[in-house]
Structure formats: C-alpha cells, structure tokens
Amino acid sequence: MDHDTVRDVDPAVADALEGEVDRQRESLQMIASENHVSEAVIDAQGSALTNKYAEGYPGERYYGGCEFADEVEQLAIDRATELFGAEHVNVQPHSGTQANQAVYFAMLEPGDKILSLDLNHGGHLSHGHPANFTGQLYEVEQYEVDPETGYIDYDDLAEHAAAFDPDIIVSGYSAYPREIEWERIQDAADDVDALHLADIAHITGLVAAGVHPSPVGIADFVTGSTHKTIRSGRGGIVMCDEEYADDIDAAVFPGGQGGPLMHNVAGKAVGFKEALEPAFEDYAEQTVANAKALGESLSENGLSLVSDGTDNHLVLVDLRDSHPDTTGGDAEEALEDAGIVLNGNTVPGETRSPFNPSGIRAGTPALTTRGFDEDDCRTVGDLIARVVDAPEDEAVIEEVREEVATLCDENPLYE
Ligand SMILES: *Cc1c(COP(=O)(O)O)cnc(C)c1O
C-alpha cells in the first residue's frame, strides 16, 4: 500500500484541514465545550484502529482479531476508573448525547418522565428538548435557575419533583457557570424515588482533576463528553454502580450503537493517561482561575454576568443590561471577525430566540491548553468588551485582531 497523504490524494480536503489548524492557531477558541487535544490524542484518533470492528466488550467480542482493540479499550476503562472512581465505566458511546441515550434506554420506557433544566437556562438538547428524541419519547418537565441569582433553584427543583413525580432527574449543564450541588439534587430524587443522571459533559476534566465536586457515588448515573475540559478522544462515557453495569452496557451496544469507534476509544485512553498526570490538575485549576479573571475583566468593562461570576471554566454574559440593542448573534459575528471565536447563547429569562439569543458564552479550556494565564485572560476580557461596545466599527475590529494575533504568537499551538 502506498503511503499517500491526504495532500497526495485529496488536495481540497488537505487545504481545508490545513486551514482549520491555522484557524485554531491564529484565533482564540473560546467555545466553552471545545479544547485542543494533544498531538498524541490526534495520533491515536488517526490510527489504523479506525478499521477495526469490535462489537462487544473486551474479552467478549463478536469478531476475531480484537486483541489490540481489547488492550486499548481496557486501558481506557482502567484509566477512567482511576480518574473518576466509578464502579463501572463504559467508554464506547460515540458522543455525550449517546451516553445519555444509553441511560434513558436502559432505565426508561417511552412515556416515562424526565425532569431536567430548561435549555434556555443552561440545559442540553439531550435532556428533553422537543427537537431531540428525548422530547419526543418521554414526558418532560423542566426546572429553572433562580432569575435573581442565576443559581440553580434547588427548592424549585424539589417542588417540581414532588408535583411531577419524575422517573429520572437530570443534572449537569451546558451553560451553567456555578458549582453544582449534587447532593441537593440527589435528595430531591430520593424524596420521589426517581433515578438521578448527572451529565458532567462540560466539566468532565474539572471533576477528574478534583477541581469540581464529583457526582460519582452520589448520582445513579454519570455521563460525560470526553473531548471537552478533559481533552481526550472525541466521544462519550457512562459511569454507574455495578448493579446497573449490564443494563448500561447492553443499552450502549447493541441497544443504541453498532461497533465502537475504536480509534476514538484509543484517543480516550491516551487523553485519560494525560489526565492522570499531576500536570492535568494544574491545567484544570488554571482553567478555572482563567475563567474567573476573564469574568472579572468583563464585569469591570460593564458587562453583566449571569450569577455575577463563575466557579468553573465558563462565563455567561447577558447583554441586555449593558447593550440592549446588541444580540448575542451580533456579538458572536463581530468577535469572530476580530479573531475571538465564541457563541451567542440563551440566558435565563431569554426574551429573544435560540437563533438570536441575548447572551454570549465564553470558556477558557482551549486558551488554557495553549498557555494563557490570568493576565492574558484579563486582556481577552478587555478585547471582548471593546468589540461588544462597537460591533460595527471596522477600526476597532482590526485593532483587536492585531492584539489577538500577538496573544496567539505568544502562546503557540501545534508547533
Ligand atoms: C456537550 C454536552 C453533551 C454531549 O454533547 P455531544 O455533542 O453529543 O458529545 C451532553 N450534555 C451536555 C450537558 C453537554 O454540554
């Protein structure tokens, strides 16, 4: 077989791939769910394991030739077990959404009841949104954050639970900047005999590093994404006690998936090994310190933060107080022109629409990976505020773009 590169075979795709690496190098990736994995994780994901069918689990596959697939998957499982302390781990879900799907499929019947956080308040599509299968197969009711404080309203959650009598309560969020009090949600679930799924997709890395309290050992099920703060191969993970292990494994495969993406499982194994190094704890701590610095800088520049700050890797800005005529979409677009990539996001009490929401969400996981410290993040906060103050001013955008270029040069990526 020839060793043809993508460039040899397909220049159009090669150009786009190079363009993407340059884009990541030359702009600030502040989408809170994104990160930059190591070149070791990229190598693993780009390996020949992509060819291998390994339906089943280590030691009990439906196909031959699985000895290396077994080794890799077992390493991923062992490392995840060490990182999170769960009794049982399944590393095969193709995504965080499919990890959640496995829990629902294992434990619920169609028509059963899910209680979850409203998407506008920071929830996720896979927690019961009408456009997602969860919203169509199950009966869904939603709790909210306290409109005054921006914190989860745990009393409201418990009242909803008492009135709705859900089969499962879902916690863990996509746009929530504060520490989650897992026990309080577990208490609400216990009071109504509901299961509790804690979806740590965003904060998987913070939990692994001990920088955010862990729901493992509290919630019945813990799901996560493996490519966000934890910076490993792309996909999902499910964790549970031994009593649910067989049901969860069967719900992942054959319940919801065919063959595992073994190259991604290899990327998970490598990323989990990296996350077990002491340096990963420093990384997670720095990510949170950077988000705090970013939030302080944005506040000092007159922007309102939902909950007035952050305990984790992201901040959520509500533009309505400071910039009533600028939507999150306007801000997102102007910032992207300036080299700062983040997303417009709904905010609690949203008065616009998900397509043109009233806030922006910004995270520090990717910036921290490339070496940004608190001072850099304070500078980034100033730059964001300058653009949001003048989203149509080409001169401002040009100035900011130059400052972004300097920050990128000082913190190189994929050299
Ligand atoms: C990102 C996310 C997921 C999973 O996302 P995938 O894109 O399917 O991997 C699940 N739950 C929450 C809360 C998330 O933020």
Side-chain angles (χ1 to χ4, degrees), residues 80-123:
T81 303
E82 194 175 341
L83 278 171
F84 297 101
E87 284 181 16
H88 181 71
V89 178
N90 186 308
V91 296
Q92 289 192 7
H94 300 339
S95 70
T97 295
Q98 282 187 270
N100 289 341
Q101 177 188 306
V103 174
Y104 303 133
F105 190 58
M107 306 311 301
L108 304 181
E109 298 295 330
D112 279 357
K113 298 188 207 170
I114 298 177
L115 177 63
S116 60
L117 185 69
D118 190 311
L119 186 67
N120 280 343
H121 289 236

Side-chain angles (χ1 to χ4, degrees), residues 28 35-36 231 283 286-287 290 364-377 380 407-408 410-415:
L28 305 184
N35 210 330
H36 303 291
R231 227 168 41 178
Y283 162 71
Q286 188 65 50
T287 298
N290 283 351
T364 53
L367 297 189
T368 308
T369 292
R370 68 188 291 176
F372 280 53
D373 62 12
E374 286 109 306
D375 281 343
D376 296 326
C377 288
V380 171
L407 284 168
C408 289
E410 289 167 0
N411 296 279
L413 180 71
Y414 298 137
E415 285 170 279

Side-chain angles (χ1 to χ4, degrees), residues 95-97 99 199-202 204-205 223-233 235-237 272:
S95 70
T97 295
D199 173 357
I200 59 170
H202 261 256
T204 306
T223 54
S225 295
T226 50
H227 49 275
K228 296 184 182 176
T229 44
I230 199 161
R231 227 168 41 178
S232 80
I237 185 171
F272 294 163

